Amino acid sequence: MTHKFAQQRPSSALRSAARPAVVLTAGLALLMSAAGAGQAADGRAAQPGCGALAGRAPLPAAAPAPDAKAVGNAAQKISYGLAPELPIGLWSSSSVTLRTPVRKGTVRLDVDSRGFSTDSLVVQRYVPATRTWTDLRTGPGGGSAPTHGVFTFPVTTSADARHPQTVALRLQDLDRPGTLSVTASVDDGRGHTYRAPARTATATRPATTVTGWPAKGVTLTRGGAARPFTLTVKNTTGRTYPAVGVAYFAYGAGRSHALRPADLVVQQYRAGHGWERIPLVANGCDPGMSASLRPASRSVAPGATAEYRLRVAVARTAPADVTAGESGIAVSNGDQSFSSQELPFAIGAGK
């Protein structure tokens, strides 16, 4: 199951998490909110917030200048370069090289996607004057999941074949695997439009599997034994993921009560430490909860695997009118989720 966080980011006004899809989206929002409020990577609790979008976003920090080498050849008025692989959750390099004068012109990227919506694609350009990355302007998509998108930015340059100008870009797919094709063009402001050959790339992501928790769910007994399961993240892409974050989140409600963090016991096994309880953090707006798991490794190289051993139990204090719950796992690069899975459960009365 995947979610779009680009043009259709989750609302902070999540008032009901009855459906699994909403639970997963709310769970990721809880994780980002907790991280923003100071929840450490080792799972220590932070003050609950009201979702990932609460408050103002911080100003962008100065970024190091990218390596913006010219692409294409001297005969091309405009050339476009694109990394062949776009691992979800990581930025992938791209660039436009101009070899013709442009006066108050516009560079346009026409993007066609297969397997994911172009609304979930973020394209940014580097601005040397401010040393920041800024989003390109986007044209309106068609339908709920458009497969054609237009990204533009203004440009003025005195470039020519001997003195090319290169604009550094970067792309990130926020949704799911697939392919995309990008055709770059420039309107030079003098009545001419030049196009570059199309470039293609494949959006990929690490493979994640959960064993020990059937898709149809399990039954947890109040005050009973914990259910163990294992999450395995294998980096099947060609890029190293410098950080892998995992969030566990849950929700359950009856006619009069909802599950609280004290009603679920979540533990993670770590070599040399044994089973450690992971504190759940209540959402400040909705009756949901989440926890950031302790990292299994600091980075995951291509072909490498990160494994998380967990177990979940329902405390004896859980309200009697709550007979079922929804939970899930979201895997991210520490900032952007690239995979999620539902872990539904029923709650038995116990002895």
Side-chain angles (χ1 to χ4, degrees):
M1 184 172 193
T2 58
H3 305 283
K4 304 179 183 67
F5 294 91
Q7 306 299 327
Q8 301 173 0
R9 297 180 186 273
S11 168
S12 61
L14 291 172
R15 294 292 178 256
S16 172
R19 293 182 300 170
V22 180
V23 174
L24 289 169
T25 302
L28 183 62
L30 283 165
L31 170 64
M32 298 308 177
S33 175
Q39 180 169 334
D42 63 3
R44 294 192 301 272
Q47 286 297 109
C50 287
L53 302 183
R56 293 185 178 181
L59 294 175
D67 184 14
K69 295 181 179 179
V71 296
N73 58 64
Q76 296 174 326
K77 302 294 186 181
I78 178 174
S79 307
Y80 178 67
L82 176 64
E85 183 183 30
L86 307 179
I88 296 173
L90 301 180
W91 288 106
S92 297
S93 62
S94 177
S95 64
V96 167
T97 298
L98 299 170
R99 296 182 177 87
T100 187
V102 178
R103 180 175 177 81
K104 295 182 178 180
T106 301
V107 171
R108 170 174 169 147
L109 304 181
D110 282 84
V111 180
D112 293 289
S113 64
R114 176 176 295 180
F116 60 92
S117 167
T118 52
D119 273 357
S120 68
L121 184 68
V122 177
V123 185
Q124 296 183 332
R125 67 182 174 97
Y126 184 75
V127 182
T130 58
R131 293 189 299 161
T132 57
W133 291 93
T134 183
D135 290 351
L136 269 61
R137 299 171 183 169
T138 58
S144 60
T147 58
H148 181 81
V150 177
F151 301 81
T152 62
F153 64 89
V155 65
T156 294
T157 179
S158 58
D160 57 32
R162 295 182 58 187
H163 306 91
Q165 177 183 340
T166 298
V167 180
L169 306 173
R170 64 182 186 179
L171 291 80
Q172 187 174 171
D173 169 25
L174 305 181
D175 190 5
R176 68 187 76 181
T179 59
L180 61 82
S181 175
V182 184
T183 302
S185 62
V186 61
D187 170 5
D188 69 357
R190 296 185 171 93
H192 301 95
T193 299
Y194 304 99
R195 289 179 174 80
R199 296 287 182 262
T200 61
T202 302
T204 59
R205 67 182 175 194
T208 60
T209 56
V210 172
T211 55
W213 198 290
K216 63 181 180 180
V218 301
T219 297
L220 303 176
T221 303
R222 290 181 183 81
R227 175 77 182 206
F229 66 98
T230 300
L231 167 69
T232 302
V233 181
K234 182 176 182 179
N235 188 357
T236 52
T237 77
R239 297 261 305 276
T240 295
Y241 274 72
V244 172
V246 178
Y248 172 86
F249 36 86
Y251 167 88
R255 292 184 177 181
S256 304
H257 302 87
L259 292 178
R260 303 162 300 170
D263 297 326
L264 289 181
V265 179
V266 180
Q267 294 178 304
Q268 179 180 354
Y269 183 85
R270 292 199 302 159
H273 298 269
W275 289 101
E276 301 174 328
R277 185 162 183 174
I278 305 297
L280 289 162
V281 179
N283 183 18
C285 299
D286 305 291
M289 62 197 83
S290 70
S292 295
L293 303 187
R294 296 178 172 92
S297 59
R298 294 191 177 276
S299 64
V300 184
T305 297
E307 187 175 88
Y308 299 80
R309 293 177 57 190
L310 303 166
R311 63 187 185 188
V312 178
V314 175
R316 192 178 300 276
T317 57
D321 63 325
V322 181
T323 59
E326 298 290 348
S327 65
I329 287 286
V331 186
S332 74
N333 68 330
D335 177 59
Q336 169 61 42
S337 173
F338 57 77
S339 180
S340 60
Q341 184 162 335
E342 300 164 17
L343 304 173
F345 58 92
I347 301 178
K351 298 181 180 179

